[in-house]
Amino acid sequence: MSLLSSSAAVLLATSAVAVAIGVLPTRVDAQSAQVGTAAEGTASRPFKFRASDEALADLKRRIKATRWPSRELVADDSQGVRLATMQKLADYWANRYDWRKVEERLSALPQFVTNIDGVDIHFIHVKSKDSNALPVIITHGWPGSIIEQIKIIEPLTNPTSHGGNATDAFDVVIPSIPGYGFSGKPTELGWDPQRIARAWATLMDRLGYQRYVAQGGDWGDAISEQMALQKPTGLLGIHTNMPGTLPDNISAALAGGPVPTGLSGDEKYAWDQLDFFYKHRVGYAQEMGARPQTLYALEDSPIGLAAWMLDHDPASQKLIGRVFDGQSEGLTRDDILDNITLYWLTETAVSSGRLFWESKLAFFSPKGVAIPVAVSAFPDEIYTAPRSWTEKAFPNLIHYNRLPKGGHFAAWEQPELFSAELRAAFRSLR
């Protein structure tokens, strides 16, 4: 989940990637985790992760030792994540949350590590029983991880049990972006979305896939669109749930130009979303794009890390607030903490932020993608791309659908809707 690299047309100056984990994290049980630096080569090795009891005890101790700030002075989210929300999260995290449950779910999935361009790349690889399944590589964003996509693996690989046909089956590859989760942390500069895109093409080639598709939102969109521009052999098309479609006049207006006029209803809805986001919610992207190394506190305070990750976009923050108030939503308290705890245990708060520093892309601007593109527009995304903008940005648009519900973390929050979208999006490319 990530956003906004800057450009002349938009607010941020740079964005970024620093990637991968080349040495065993200090909070990982070495006996189970096998994450050492991989020798150069094309082999993949099985991967399992188990945090040590000491690491989990230390996490709870730090949560309980949090020094809380005073309460916000407003009755809404305009000053940031509310104190009451964070205290409810902390209570659940320290006293009822069980990380071992997500470890069990992850351990049930085929996971591997392979070294690409000097960095260990972690990935989940689940094959369908259908021999004609279409391979898809699915990329998360910031502050997301492979946790975002776990719910869609079964609907995609086994569609007949989830409202689809056998001909809709996918083989699913879900890598961790370098510097995120179980992948290695790069030790040199240059791991921007373009380089990651090349690494993903290498990964799919190593897995023996001669034809495949790619999907992503947030950084996953940036990486997938770069794959589309690079046109690796075998890439048939891409699907995105956060496309780059902003017309020049919209980008100029967001950078301080005159407010556009003559917008349709869908275009005005998207403008209002973008206008609010650029004015009020780009703080995290600006800091990570300019000074990611300054964020030491995120790797020292679990509550500091959680608050930073929650304050991503208005709709997601409100949804998470409702979850910790006890309401039923697309995400659960465990879902939210599974993702935050993964960042904590792998010590990737700062390394993940470097992607904003590395990237020089204008995040929401069209890139000139010519291969087939499918777009799913969710109403609570940072902006819901209108069909009019989408058709101009992608001349080879093979699918567009505006969904009734769902936000930035669509695969995580609305897995059945999301899975149905991927089936429809790529049906013509099989």
Side-chain angles (χ1 to χ4, degrees), residues 190-251:
W191 278 92
D192 55 14
Q194 293 91 328
R195 188 170 178 179
I196 299 171
R198 291 192 294 271
W200 279 194
T202 298
L203 174 60
M204 296 303 279
D205 183 63
R206 285 187 187 177
L207 294 176
Y209 291 129
Q210 297 180 355
R211 58 192 306 274
Y212 60 92
V213 292
Q215 196 287 324
D218 197 86
W219 282 122
D221 167 72
I223 293 164
S224 298
E225 289 198 30
Q226 290 304 308
M227 291 182 73
L229 292 172
Q230 294 167 7
K231 298 180 181 178
T233 301
L235 181 63
L236 304 175
I238 67 170
H239 171 273
T240 172
N241 52 294
M242 201 183 80
T245 69
L246 266 60
D248 290 344
N249 67 316
I250 299 296
S251 293

Side-chain angles (χ1 to χ4, degrees), residues 141-194:
W142 184 93
S145 67
I146 56 167
I147 298 295
E148 282 185 71
Q149 284 92 23
I150 290 176
K151 295 177 185 177
I152 63 173
I153 294 174
E154 172 66 16
L156 293 179
T157 57
N158 186 18
T160 55
S161 298
H162 297 269
N165 301 316
T167 53
D168 291 325
F170 292 88
D171 283 357
V172 175
V173 179
I174 305 173
S176 297
I177 295 174
Y180 288 67
F182 302 128
S183 276
K185 299 172 184 173
T187 57
E188 63 179 8
L189 297 178
W191 278 92
D192 55 14
Q194 293 91 328

Side-chain angles (χ1 to χ4, degrees), residues 60-291:
K60 289 189 175 185
R61 178 189 64 78
R62 288 170 182 261
I63 295 168
K64 292 178 180 180
T66 299
R67 187 170 68 179
W68 296 100
S70 58
R71 183 186 176 279
E72 64 278 359
L73 303 180
V74 293
D76 55 30
D77 300 320
S78 60
Q79 289 193 335
V81 185
R82 300 191 206 188
L83 179 63
T85 297
M86 293 309 303
Q87 290 182 327
K88 290 172 186 175
L89 180 151
D91 176 68
Y92 187 83
W93 203 1
N95 298 309
R96 282 168 282 174
Y97 174 72
D98 184 359
W99 166 257
R100 296 297 185 204
K101 290 181 179 179
V102 73
E103 281 186 345
E104 291 174 6
R105 293 199 300 276
L106 288 170
S107 294
L109 297 170
Q111 298 179 78
F112 304 91
V113 169
T114 188
N115 190 279
I116 299 176
D117 201 9
V119 171
D120 277 358
I121 302 297
H122 163 266
F123 62 99
I124 296 169
H125 185 198
V126 183
K127 294 184 178 181
S128 172
K129 294 179 181 178
D130 191 302
S131 59
N132 294 316
L134 178 65
V136 59
I137 183 166
I138 305 176
T139 310
H140 64 83
W142 184 93
S145 67
I146 56 167
I147 298 295
E148 282 185 71
Q149 284 92 23
I150 290 176
K151 295 177 185 177
I152 63 173
I153 294 174
E154 172 66 16
L156 293 179
T157 57
N158 186 18
T160 55
S161 298
H162 297 269
N165 301 316
T167 53
D168 291 325
F170 292 88
D171 283 357
V172 175
V173 179
I174 305 173
S176 297
I177 295 174
Y180 288 67
F182 302 128
S183 276
K185 299 172 184 173
T187 57
E188 63 179 8
L189 297 178
W191 278 92
D192 55 14
Q194 293 91 328
R195 188 170 178 179
I196 299 171
R198 291 192 294 271
W200 279 194
T202 298
L203 174 60
M204 296 303 279
D205 183 63
R206 285 187 187 177
L207 294 176
Y209 291 129
Q210 297 180 355
R211 58 192 306 274
Y212 60 92
V213 292
Q215 196 287 324
D218 197 86
W219 282 122
D221 167 72
I223 293 164
S224 298
E225 289 198 30
Q226 290 304 308
M227 291 182 73
L229 292 172
Q230 294 167 7
K231 298 180 181 178
T233 301
L235 181 63
L236 304 175
I238 67 170
H239 171 273
T240 172
N241 52 294
M242 201 183 80
T245 69
L246 266 60
D248 290 344
N249 67 316
I250 299 296
S251 293
L254 291 168
V259 176
T261 59
L263 300 179
S264 69
D266 287 352
E267 291 168 348
K268 181 62 165 56
Y269 182 75
W271 163 261
D272 289 341
Q273 290 175 305
L274 287 161
D275 185 50
F276 182 87
F277 185 80
Y278 274 83
K279 287 178 178 176
H280 302 287
R281 295 300 179 116
V282 294
Y284 70 86
Q286 288 176 323
E287 180 64 23
M288 291 191 292
R291 311 282 288 179

Side-chain angles (χ1 to χ4, degrees), residues 316-337:
S316 296
Q317 183 184 334
K318 289 177 182 177
L319 182 151
I320 291 170
R322 294 193 299 271
V323 169
F324 282 99
D325 282 338
Q327 298 183 38
S328 178
E329 297 280 355
L331 299 179
T332 67
R333 291 177 295 185
D334 283 349
D335 285 334
I336 296 158
L337 290 172

